[in-house]
Amino acid sequence: MIPQRAKGYLRYVHRHRVARYVVYIVLAVTVWYSVTQTNLTDKLVVITGPGVDSLSDTIRSNYPSVDLEEESGEGQDIDRLLQDSLELQLDKLISGDQNVTLDQLNNVVTEEEIANMKKLNYKHLLNKFRCNEKSTVGYISHSLANEGLRPKACIYTFIKSNSQLRRILRTVESVQKNFNHAYGYPWVFISAEKLSEAFKATVQEKLTEFSDQIDGINTEAIFGLVPDEIMEYPAFIDSTLASNARIDLFDVPHGDEQYYRFIARFHAGFVANHTLLKDYDWFLRVDAGLKMTCMTDYDIFRWMQDNSMAFAFGLSLREDRRSDSSFYKAFQQFTEKNSEIYKAFENRNMAGYLIEGGNSFTHCSYSTELQIMNLNFLRSPGYQKYFKHIDEVGGIFYERWSDSLIIGAAVSTLIPASMTHHLSHMGFQTKQHIKCPKDNNVWMECQCNCDQGSDMTTDESITCMNKYNYVYTFH
C-alpha cells in the first residue's frame, strides 16, 4: 500500500501532463524510496544493459493495446500513448492497486530516453512560446526542458574584499537556514580581490557546521576572481570623460565610484560566462550582507524551471534619474536597429514596466539584492548583442548605468511577461532595504522574522512594484 505522503506527491506530478514519462518515473521512484528510506544512489536513474527491455518495450508488453492502436492506422501519437500507459500505471499506484509496483518501472530508464524526452520538452516549449531555436527564449528553453529533474543551479554572491567576512557569514547562515539546507546547492563566490585562505576556510566551516546541525546535506563553497581585464577601461572608453562624469555625479549613490562601474559592467555582460558559472543554468544572486528573513520550504529553482520561468526578483526599484538620463535613447537605438529581437514578444512582454505613455522612460529596474536568473538568458545571442550595444555607448562609465537597469530593460522586453516572477513570499533585509510580506497568512506560513510595518515593497517613492503589478495583470 502506498503511504498517503507518496500519494500526494504522485497526484501533484500526475496533474502536470507536460512532463514526459521519464519525469514520472524519476519522481515516482524518488518518492517511493524516500518514504521507505532506501538509498537512492543507484536507484534514481539506472542505465539499462544488454538483455534489459527498454521502457517502450516494457510498457508495450504490459499494454499491448499500444501496439494495436499504432497499427490501426488512426494516426495517434505513439509518445502520447506511451505516456498515457504510464499514467495508467501511476493511477493504480496512487489508488493502492496491489498488482502494480514501482519495481515494474525501475531499471528501465536509459540516457538516450532521457535525452529524447528533453528534446520533446524543448519542442513543446518552442511551440508554447511561439519562438524559434535562435531566439532568446529558445536559448533559455534548453534548460527549461529539464523539467522534473534537479536544476543545474547555485547560489551566487559577489565579494568586494576580505573585510566582508562577517557580512558573508550572516548571509550564508540566513540563506542556508531559510532555504538551502534542504537542497545543498553550491555557493559560488566571485571577488574583485584575492581572498585569504582563512576567509575561504571560515566560510566553508560555517556551511559544514550549519549542515551538520540541521540535516547533514553537504554544501560546497567555490571561490574565484573577476577577470583582470574587467577591472580596466575597455578600449572604447575615454578615461578623462569617465573621470569627469564621476565628479559630476558625486551626490548620486555610487556616482563617484569607478569600482562600482567596473563591477556593474561585469554583472551586466560577463558574469554568466565566468569559469565558475559556465556550467550552471541558474543562480540565486544574493548581496553580501543580505539577511533572508522568511522560509522557502520548496525548491525555488525547481519551481522556476518546471513553470517555464526565467527571472524572479525580490524588489522593484526606481533608478535615480541623474544616473541614467541618456539610457532610454541608447535603448531606442538598439530596438530600431534590431526589431527582430525587440519585437519577438511585442505585446506579450513587460515593456510597459519600462516605458509609459508611448515614449516616456519610467527609470524602473529590478533590485539585484535578491534575484533568480536563468543564466542562459544572459548568454543568449540576443542579449549579448543588446549588451554589446549598451556597453559601447559608454553610459556605464559616462553616466552610472547599473547592471540592474541594463538587465531589467532586457528582461522587460526580450522575454514574455509570463517568464518573470515576483518573489512576494521571500523576506530579506539589507542596509538599504527591508522586504517583509504584508499578507499575514504568508508571513505566518513562511515563518518570517521581519517587521511587516517596515516593508517598502510598494513605497512608490523608491519602488516600481505597483507599476509592475499593473502591467503584469494584462498578460
Side-chain angles (χ1 to χ4, degrees), residues 48-65:
T48 59
V52 180
D53 290 338
S54 70
L55 175 62
S56 302
D57 292 338
T58 301
I59 293 178
R60 284 187 172 92
S61 66
N62 291 328
Y63 295 89
S65 59

Side-chain angles (χ1 to χ4, degrees), residues 238-262:
D238 184 324
S239 61
T240 301
L241 291 179
S243 178
N244 291 337
R246 295 197 301 275
I247 295 173
D248 293 340
L249 296 173
F250 75 95
D251 57 343
V252 172
H254 307 293
D256 59 349
E257 297 178 23
Q258 176 179 265
Y259 178 89
Y260 175 89
R261 290 166 168 81
F262 287 142

Side-chain angles (χ1 to χ4, degrees), residues 405-416:
L405 175 72
I406 296 169
I407 294 173
V411 165
S412 299
T413 55
L414 303 186
I415 60 175

